[in-house]
Amino acid sequence: MRGSISAVSSNGTYSFTKPNRDSITLIAGLGVEGDVHAGVTVKHRFRMERDPSQPNLRQVHLMHEELFEEVRAAGFEVGAGELGENVTTRGLDLLGLPVGARLRLGAEAVVEVTGLRNPCAQIDGFRKGLLKEVVGRGADGRPAFKSGIMSVVLHGGVVRPGDPVTVELPDGPHRPLEIV
């Protein structure tokens, strides 16, 4: 499987959105250099309140650009970085990847998929009604979360818009993504 990176984003302060950058640098075991969510232990505010010592399985947030087209059809204008993601991709079924899939981003960086992003009420604070669009229902009637995937950095490197993304699936059996 191959796709590409359409945007990269980071923010050094807690904010729902992240400004687009010309490049970001991924650091093994930490995340995006200078991003508020980088670190060995969890940096998500709600999760830190519960247990600040838990490992950071949310170092890099990836989102598929195709989601923006889907929500645009429902009347919402959303661009890269506006939902807090670090890497916006094109041409990959991120939500269909299993836990442990590895994504090579550009020439050097490699991230390992840990799970789904849990869409929160801040999405409605950004655009009222948008949360309903990013939480759908699967064929089995269970919630289907569409607001991207989370990963940890295995190998660091510089990542830029236009870089290729290649996917390496883990040996089976594959575990479906769950919220991390």
Side-chain angles (χ1 to χ4, degrees):
M1 285 187 270
R2 292 184 61 90
S4 62
I5 296 171
S6 52
V8 294
S9 311
S10 67
N11 200 338
T13 60
Y14 282 106
S15 173
F16 184 70
T17 62
K18 295 188 180 197
N20 295 157
R21 309 287 182 190
D22 292 332
S23 68
I24 57 174
T25 301
L26 303 187
I27 301 172
L30 294 177
V32 179
E33 182 178 51
D35 191 81
V36 71
H37 291 104
V40 174
T41 57
V42 68
K43 300 302 177 199
H44 184 274
R45 284 194 245 191
F46 173 75
R47 293 170 190 276
M48 285 188 332
E49 287 175 12
R50 289 193 348 209
D51 179 5
S53 67
Q54 61 187 305
N56 188 3
L57 301 178
R58 303 165 58 95
Q59 294 175 357
V60 180
H61 177 195
L62 297 99
M63 188 173 297
H64 54 296
E65 185 178 53
E66 292 84 355
L67 177 64
F68 305 149
E69 296 163 6
E70 184 180 327
V71 300
R72 187 174 300 118
F76 296 94
E77 285 298 320
V78 178
E82 290 187 328
L83 294 180
E85 76 276 10
N86 300 112
V87 177
T88 309
T89 66
R90 180 111 188 123
L92 285 175
D93 178 13
L94 294 178
L95 303 176
L97 295 174
V99 172
R102 293 183 176 189
L103 285 70
R104 178 174 294 279
L105 308 174
E108 299 174 347
V110 178
V111 299
E112 183 172 284
V113 176
T114 56
L116 292 169
R117 175 195 182 188
N118 184 14
C120 66
Q122 287 184 336
I123 292 174
D124 267 353
F126 173 68
R127 298 274 192 277
K128 186 150 181 65
L130 183 58
L131 180 61
K132 184 176 155 185
E133 297 299 321
V134 299
V135 179
R137 292 277 173 201
D140 60 1
R142 293 177 35 196
F145 302 106
K146 301 186 254 182
S147 58
I149 62 171
M150 307 308 279
S151 64
V152 294
V153 181
L154 299 179
H155 300 285
V158 176
V159 180
R160 296 177 178 85
D163 281 349
V165 179
T166 55
V167 177
E168 179 185 320
L169 296 175
D171 293 335
H174 293 164
R175 289 186 356 219
L177 298 178
E178 295 178 1
I179 291 173
V180 294

